[in-house]
Amino acid sequence: MAKKSQTAFVCRECGADHPKWAGRCTECGAWNSLAEMRLPGGKSPTREVAGYAGEAARITAIGEVEVSETPRESSGLGELDRVLGGGLVPGSVVLLGGDPGIGKSTLLLQTVLGLQDRIECLYVTGEESLQQVALRGRRLGNDLAGRAGELTLLSETRIESILAACSKSLPGLMVVDSIQTLYTEELSAAPGSVSQLREATAQLVRFAKRHDVIVLIVGHVTKEGALAGPRVLEHMVDTVLYFEGDPGARFRVIRAVKNRFGAANEVGVFGMTDHGLKPVSNPSAIFLSRHEKPVPGSVVMVTREGTRPMLVEVQALVADHPGGGSRRLTVGLDQNRLAMLLAVLHRHGQVALFDQDVFLNVVGGVRVNETAADLASLIAMLSSFRDRPLPQGLVIFGEVGLAGEIRPVPGGPERLTEAAKHGFTRAIVPRGNKPPKPIDGLEVIAVAHLDQAIEAVDTF
Ligand code: TYD
Ligand code: MG
């Protein structure tokens, strides 16, 4: 019998296994994404992946499965609980991704310091020394620093040593900072490589499920903006959170992109201060620039993150670009949608911007992933192009279709109420989002087509 292969090739993008190396992944089509991975002890990949939870195989009828309300442990930070879907679930594994310096270690240290009296916590640091972690703990404020002595720390990167140490004095919660520094000796690949990441995560997940320990894993983000070895880790854990924001700016947004115990796409907002992260429980209007007088190219929109409406400012700059090759750039918005919006503006609004550079930006480092930003972006570009500011107190939202129609977006009433609450007096919205009852202090202009929206703006 032929000897079983001891290596497999794993796609960095989608996590698919291939028996042989190839230039392109046949599953997801990514080029040059296969990395060699040595299988521990020559086991087949399927055996390795099956049974994360370490349970023996047993067939059960669905009706016999005991279902109870998931118990949750509050993390002590309201905004973090919110993205987790109400708190931390025992035995769950949470992956926290984000750029270096964004505040991942700070957030998790703060969480465990706050939880310490209720749950025994262990902070495993592979990146920083014990002194650095202790120093950060001290920086997080006097009340926390006093308790920092009780938190247990472990400086170790070999996964087997970590789990052996934990098995002796089983903590209720474990932080692993970061997964990229962990390694197992069973594999010869370097720490941070796909095979090491996958194996270390699999061991942590198995440990969490077997002992009902909450495991919080820090993961770094690659230059392309995805978790290193993205899909590989995302499908193994229960919850994936991304910590984003401009490291230079004060505000940070934490977003759930996957959550087996709650809604995905929920966001929490924090402000970074000298004494750690402070939750911002009413973030609606912090991302506005509050210009003293109206400026061209600036439009306030109401975006909805999970269940929460937020006011954000979309800015456009449209500038002459003589000659060919004009630039189109978005920050915080989808680049492809900009190209589409420009085409719609040309065809249905009779405004051609092909000889102009177009820049679109969302203020405050926020990322808006929804189509409700379409109309606001379009009007912002038009306002900048004509060098005509929009009046203050105006909000705009709505999706723009290829036929120039303005389509309704979910959560219309909440968006309008939020705008009224913050003193906005006028709103241009899709006709499908026109509220049945008038809203106090808010004049709602409902439009069905781009023409009507431009007309409405022209009358101001
Ligand atoms: P850190 O949590 O180490 O980021 P990450 O683990 O994501 O790489 O720290 C983020 C930054 O926050 C760092 O540049 C220092 C700053 N910071 C504060 O401004 N205030 C504080 O109280 C702390 C602890 C850090
Ligand atoms: Mg860190």
Side-chain angles (χ1 to χ4, degrees):
M1 214 173 82
K3 200 167 154 275
K4 251 212 175 128
S5 161
Q6 302 257 319
T7 54
F9 292 86
V10 180
C11 174
R12 270 191 218 101
E13 301 297 325
C14 70
D17 278 310
H18 300 267
K20 276 201 293 233
W21 190 86
R24 187 180 192 196
C25 173
T26 48
E27 291 294 318
C28 68
W31 288 98
N32 203 17
S33 65
L34 299 198
E36 184 172 6
M37 148 164 191
R38 284 188 68 82
L39 300 172
K43 284 185 227 153
S44 74
T46 42
R47 271 238 307 277
E48 198 45 37
V49 173
Y52 284 154
E55 282 169 9
R58 191 165 62 87
I59 295 174
T60 316
I62 191 164
E64 288 166 21
V65 180
E66 260 183 59
V67 186
S68 54
E69 189 62 31
T70 337
R72 291 188 187 263
E73 200 59 61
S74 164
S75 67
L77 295 165
E79 292 296 294
L80 183 59
D81 284 350
R82 182 189 182 100
V83 283
L84 288 167
L88 293 158
V89 178
S92 68
V93 182
V94 179
L95 178 65
L96 175 65
D99 291 329
I102 200 81
K104 301 181 292 298
S105 306
T106 308
L107 179 71
L108 294 186
L109 186 61
Q110 232 171 302
T111 307
V112 293
L113 287 171
L115 273 175
Q116 188 58 34
D117 354 333
R118 281 174 289 143
I119 307 182
E120 206 171 307
C121 300
L122 173 71
Y123 192 105
V124 181
T125 167
E127 231 158 63
E128 293 168 309
S129 66
L130 296 180
Q131 281 93 326
Q132 282 171 307
V133 178
L135 268 176
R136 179 174 302 119
R138 196 143 310 157
R139 202 174 156 186
L140 292 175
N142 291 331
D143 51 333
L144 291 179
R147 279 186 269 158
E150 294 160 20
L151 171 70
T152 48
L153 304 177
L154 174 66
S155 172
E156 178 61 64
T157 53
R158 190 170 153 259
I159 181 81
E160 287 83 5
S161 315
I162 295 172
L163 296 184
C166 294
S167 306
K168 270 191 226 127
S169 62
L170 211 59
L173 185 152
M174 180 163 98
V175 172
V176 177
D177 190 358
S178 66
I179 190 73
Q180 272 94 353
T181 57
L182 299 197
Y183 74 98
T184 167
E185 266 166 14
E186 286 189 45
L187 298 170
S188 56
S193 63
V194 177
S195 49
Q196 289 284 9
L197 284 175
R198 191 154 109 155
E199 181 57 23
T201 312
Q203 291 206 26
L204 286 169
V205 173
R206 233 173 290 146
F207 180 83
K209 304 290 169 198
R210 188 174 302 150
H211 301 289
D212 236 8
V213 175
I214 303 167
V215 178
L216 305 177
I217 302 175
V218 171
H220 287 296
V221 161
T222 57
K223 276 195 217 82
E224 296 80 43
L227 280 169
R231 304 280 168 255
V232 186
L233 296 188
E234 284 183 2
H235 80 257
M236 296 169 90
V237 300
D238 298 308
T239 303
V240 180
L241 307 179
Y242 272 92
F243 211 12
E244 37 184 68
D246 188 354
R250 215 182 122 216
F251 293 106
R252 306 278 191 275
V253 176
I254 186 163
R255 188 189 298 274
V257 294
K258 161 180 170 177
N259 195 353
R260 285 189 187 147
F261 302 108
N265 277 326
E266 199 62 72
V267 296
V269 183
F270 289 93
M272 180 62 99
T273 68
D274 279 347
H275 299 295
L277 291 155
K278 294 273 182 295
V280 179
S281 49
N282 181 16
S284 191
I286 55 176
F287 298 112
L288 302 183
S289 5
R290 304 193 183 283
H291 303 287
E292 285 194 350
K293 57 180 202 303
V295 295
S298 153
V299 169
V300 176
M301 73 162 289
V302 196
T303 176
R304 216 169 64 129
E305 294 284 6
T307 53
R308 169 191 261 173
M310 275 202 312
L311 293 160
V312 295
E313 181 180 333
V314 178
Q315 293 182 331
L317 180 68
V318 178
D320 271 338
H321 185 111
S326 53
R327 303 187 56 183
R328 275 96 182 70
L329 202 80
T330 60
V331 180
L333 288 161
D334 185 5
Q335 188 85 29
N336 292 329
R337 277 207 94 78
L338 170 60
M340 193 198 94
L341 291 176
L342 287 170
V344 174
L345 189 61
H346 188 179
R347 177 70 185 269
H348 299 287
Q350 280 75 47
V351 179
L353 300 180
F354 51 79
D355 53 353
Q356 307 280 324
D357 285 335
V358 180
F359 304 99
L360 266 184
N361 173 39
V362 183
V363 172
V366 202
R367 200 169 299 160
V368 180
N369 291 327
E370 55 162 11
T371 53
D374 288 354
L375 189 56
S377 311
L378 250 180
I379 301 293
M381 292 189 280
L382 199 63
S383 155
S384 172
F385 178 59
R386 295 170 166 179
D387 203 19
R388 281 230 310 264
L390 295 160
Q392 262 168 337
L394 173 73
V395 291
I396 299 179
F397 63 83
E399 178 178 330
V400 175
L402 283 181
E405 81 276 21
I406 311 295
R407 307 158 61 98
V409 293
E414 292 97 72
R415 294 182 206 248
L416 289 171
T417 322
E418 189 68 17
K421 207 168 88 191
H422 286 86
F424 284 80
T425 51
R426 252 189 296 208
I428 300 181
V429 304
R431 193 191 284 156
N433 285 124
K434 189 173 160 58
K437 281 191 305 223
I439 296 174
D440 260 355
L442 189 72
E443 179 200 347
V444 177
I445 304 164
V447 294
H449 196 270
L450 184 59
D451 295 344
Q452 295 164 1
I454 296 179
E455 219 179 276
V457 170
D458 284 341
T459 58
F460 294 146

